[in-house]
Amino acid sequence: MTKGAGQLLFQSSDWNFDTLSRTYDAIEAIALGELKLDVYPNQMEIISSEQMLDAYSSVGMPLMYQHWSFGKRFVFEDHLYRKGRRGLAYELVINSNPCIVYLMEENTMAMQALVTAHAAFGHNHFFKNNYLFRQWTDASAILSYMEFAKKYIAKCEERHGTAAVEAILDSAHAIMDQGVFRYRRPPRLSSERERERARERLEYEEQTFNDLWRTLPRTTAHHNRAEAERDARERKKALNLPEENLLYFLEKTSLILEPWQRELLRIVRVIAQYFYPQRQTKVMNEGCATFVHYTIMNRLFDKDRISEGAMLEILQSHSNVVFQPGFDDPRYSGMNPYALGFAMMQDIQRICTEPTAEDRDWFPEIAGNGDWRSTLLDAWANHRDESFILQYLSPTLIRKFRLFLLTDSAGDNYLEVASIHNERGYQAVRAALARSYDVGANQQDIQVIDVDLLGDRQLRLQHNVKNGVMLEEASRDATLRHIRHLWGYDVSLIGLDAETGEELYECSTDEDM
Amino acid sequence: MANFIDRRLNPKDKSIGNRQRFLRRAREELKRAVKEQVKSVGIADVGVGQKVSMPTRGVSEPTFQPAADTGDRERVLPGNREFMPGDRLRKPQGGGGGGKAGAGTGEDEDDFQFVLSRAEVLDLFFEDLELPDMVKLSLKETMTFKPRRAGFAITGSPTNINIGRTMRNSQGRRIALRRPKQSEIDALLEELAELEKKPGRQASERIAMLKAELDRLERRRRRVPFIDTVDIRFNRFEQQPLPNASAVMFCLMDVSASMGEREKDLAKRFFVLLHLFLKRRYERIEIVFIRHTDEAREVDEETFFYSTQSGGTMVSTALAEMLQVIEERYPPSDWNIYAAQASDGDNISGDSERCVRLLSRVMQLCQYYAYVEIIDERESEIFARTDNGTSLWRAYRTIDGEWPNFQMTRIAKPADIYPVFRKLFARQSQSRQLRK
């Protein structure tokens, strides 16, 4: 490495496989040697823009089953791209082992270097080390699982017809957001065979029970109240209710689904679960990757391994990525996760090395510890966006971004500024920003609470309404119809205020049938 | 050490299957959009790749979404300049509030436009007209090709070897490289045979020399083969489009008050279909629009379909106008003349006979004449199998018997249009088969 120091990695802006791999090695030396990153082996793939569009429309997976909604996304992206309204990403990275990194062929060599540092080391390190990814997804199994899923669905289409498969997938996609385990860890994909056997046994039992139920008289006699309640308690216990994962519940319990249809639900559920951590770590993931590429590129430049021209190009691209327009700017479209994540990580570096008195008050445990590398490694490994912001957003940054907190009540015709970047506001702004990144809390909390298998078999769902935010009615009813399609009998949804338990609304597929 | 893989050569149309699924899904919406387009664009533009605006409602993917205007929310925004705690701001109109932060995670896609390929548009257009598959296929094909000789090539399949050329090249090469001729060798062999009969020292010397010479010639012949691969020439064929002549299409329509929106829409589809057919066969097509009430005039397409004119109905004026236009601009020797007439069958009494006389003259000039009478859907039952009808209908029946290239029918809905042209397409597919 020392021998190569001071020698430019590449001269022209055109890349070839020689310069690519030379640059990769130089970047790897810094990433592993200096930043102490820990990554999956990388598989770098060069793709063209059409292939990038393809990858976009299949939610970034290299293998994906076929469905019209991906075609819709493709047509949409393709249109925007051709109109010049949206550029394509320079790279795409897949949380798998080995980690697959797509590089666009149009990139200049300087961009390829930037992107390699960003994706192949930044994202890759994050995927491998962050606790959410470690616990909730299985990087080494995902590709083979997707291959299985694609083949399985193609086989189903052959056997049962495209329309039948599409109908199940449509319904399953509608409740994909309600198809993840938020609080308990999902089982690993690797013990596939065992689970398969367990599932088949369960199905068998279910089918035998169904036959028995069919012989029962249709009308249920009136129980007395206490008895009915005891029954309800018992069956809830038997079905493990309440259940937050609707897809899981339908897959296991639905009375009308065939085994292959259950398998389709399972596939959709596994994919939803796979992407769940990504949604919770947008700021950290992008921040980590941006911080890593910025640090590595600067190190390379300091060692005279890249030219000033290339460095300028890299910096220009970098500053575009971390640009955060103000709320009243026409370009504003929410907080830029790159900007926020990168700024926070740079700020942690600053706090560790040159803390102010304020920082010492706010972050006594890390201020001035001098070891920003391990502080960052620790943060990357053990936080998600919500906790990361709650833990590390400093007053300095709140002032820098000039953050302020607005409250918005549906009843009022005004918005009120609740807090700004001052001594009294820091805590409130920080807590509110952290809350806004809590995916679990922001998503609609809808759970299965009861189903009377012996009675009318109506599936009862409960929506815990937080802060009075209701569901949009048209899409709610359409989604309920999808659930009914999977369940086979009527579905009702009751909205309860999460604080008071007061009933806010009730609706059912019964009425609009 | 990283593992670099070049994927650029992998197939890139991974999304094609998904796109087709999406189109199938959106079929109803797209059909409606294409129908609108057929109404609004010119006849000649139907079937050119079209931009279709796709309303999202047909292909929405519902999920549980928060309703925008309920509940209490908090937002953290960057870029504060002058706000102090307690300041109140008016809510921006339209709900959103503070950028798009509240508008939800649902993809921000209103109606979006995309371009359908020509084949996709025609598919949707034909579906309504219930065209047979064979016809659909032949309409979508824009050009026919025929292989033509186009010189020679150095590669090709053995069946295409051009022997004359190959031999000529071979001979030239043999001369240039001085390949020993068979006659030279024959002469030497003869001399050798004679010498071998009379022994002697001189003779044996000569024999040795001749043998050496013979050996040299044989070796040379082996080195310079009779036919070398460089000599071989193949006949080259090029796919050339068939020469297409010009055609002119006359659209005749009654525009008196009795022709309403529905009638005109049907008439337009009728004209479009004929135009598509012609476009497939001819390189250059002109369209002449003649509308008539009790007098006929040549107009542009816009006026033809969209402006109304009051007055009686005298069909013969249109035919007279058509004859005049043909005489002035489209000599039948240079032009293939096609005509399509749409009417609701009304005609002033006594005019129908005149029509028959004029039409007989027109038929001598025309390749094809199609007449459709647009009737009410309720009437279609009554008229289904009778020769009765309006005076014009009865008058045209006589022509129908006389001329094979005259077609007439009553139509009440789009699916009725195709039978008018059936013969036209049938003849065409026949001739296609003959050509093959």
Side-chain angles (χ1 to χ4, degrees), chain A residues 68-244:
Chain A
W68 63 269
S69 63
F70 305 134
K72 174 177 155 185
R73 215 151 295 145
F74 177 76
V75 165
F76 185 65
E77 295 286 351
D78 188 52
H79 176 70
L80 285 182
Y81 175 61
R82 278 177 205 286
K83 273 280 175 66
R85 296 237 307 266
R86 187 184 291 175
L88 292 175
Y90 298 113
E91 45 76 24
L92 205 81
V93 53
I94 289 159
N95 169 24
S96 61
N97 183 12
C99 182
I100 297 178
V101 180
Y102 289 131
L103 302 176
M104 286 270 276
E105 65 168 335
E106 279 95 338
N107 294 349
T108 61
M109 186 56 221
M111 282 309 295
Q112 302 288 37
L114 176 71
V115 158
T116 304
H118 182 89
F121 293 96
H123 284 307
N124 191 345
H125 169 82
F126 196 79
F127 288 147
K128 188 170 178 190
N129 293 281
N130 184 266
Y131 81 105
L132 278 179
F133 288 92
R134 288 168 69 96
Q135 290 182 355
W136 294 51
T137 68
D138 192 348
S140 48
I142 188 67
L143 287 183
S144 59
Y145 186 77
M146 288 311 298
E147 196 184 345
F148 153 76
K150 189 180 172 177
K151 278 198 189 131
Y152 188 85
I153 290 181
K155 209 176 76 196
C156 285
E157 285 183 341
E158 241 169 61
R159 191 170 302 163
H160 309 282
T162 318
V165 172
E166 218 163 63
I168 294 291
L169 286 179
D170 285 355
S171 298
H173 284 181
I175 46 173
M176 216 164 164
D177 283 345
Q178 279 73 35
V180 290
F181 293 108
R182 266 169 261 251
Y183 302 107
R184 76 178 156 104
R185 218 176 87 182
R188 293 242 160 223
L189 288 177
S190 39
S191 55
E192 192 65 41
R193 221 163 283 150
E194 271 168 54
R195 290 185 41 74
E196 192 63 24
R197 243 177 282 142
R199 198 171 59 77
E200 270 162 19
R201 198 166 52 236
L202 200 77
E203 259 161 31
Y204 176 74
E205 276 171 22
E206 214 170 66
Q207 275 170 1
T208 27
F209 274 124
N210 283 353
D211 278 341
L212 282 179
W213 289 338
R214 245 172 258 145
T215 62
L216 286 177
R218 277 194 69 82
T219 47
T220 44
H222 276 288
H223 305 284
N224 63 46
R225 216 186 184 137
E227 212 175 317
E229 248 169 46
R230 205 199 58 219
D231 279 358
R233 254 203 322 279
E234 263 172 21
R235 66 173 182 254
K236 280 185 190 181
K237 206 177 158 206
L239 287 168
N240 218 351
L241 293 175
E243 171 64 63
E244 48 155 0

Side-chain angles (χ1 to χ4, degrees), chain A residues 493-508:
Chain A
L493 176 66
I494 184 168
L496 296 185
D497 191 297
E499 302 278 304
T500 62
E502 176 195 354
E503 187 179 323
L504 298 174
Y505 68 90
E506 181 163 13
C507 60
S508 156

Side-chain angles (χ1 to χ4, degrees), chain B residues 63-129:
Chain B
T63 53
F64 289 120
Q65 290 293 341
D69 51 354
T70 55
D72 305 327
R73 288 152 206 263
E74 287 177 327
R75 293 201 180 91
V76 177
L77 303 171
N80 178 20
R81 273 193 290 270
E82 74 273 354
F83 299 142
M84 293 303 284
D87 283 356
R88 289 182 172 183
L89 317 170
R90 280 170 63 92
K91 273 190 190 172
Q93 289 303 309
K100 285 189 218 142
T105 45
E107 289 151 86
D108 184 25
E109 40 183 310
D110 311 324
D111 290 6
F112 63 89
Q113 282 200 328
F114 65 100
V115 178
L116 287 174
S117 72
R118 184 184 135 84
E120 284 162 350
V121 172
L122 288 184
D123 260 341
L124 293 164
F125 176 69
F126 293 154
E127 201 172 277
D128 225 13
L129 297 174

Side-chain angles (χ1 to χ4, degrees), chain B residues 330-345:
Chain B
Y330 302 106
S333 54
D334 295 346
W335 292 85
N336 293 292
I337 298 169
Y338 287 77
Q341 184 187 2
S343 155
D344 56 0

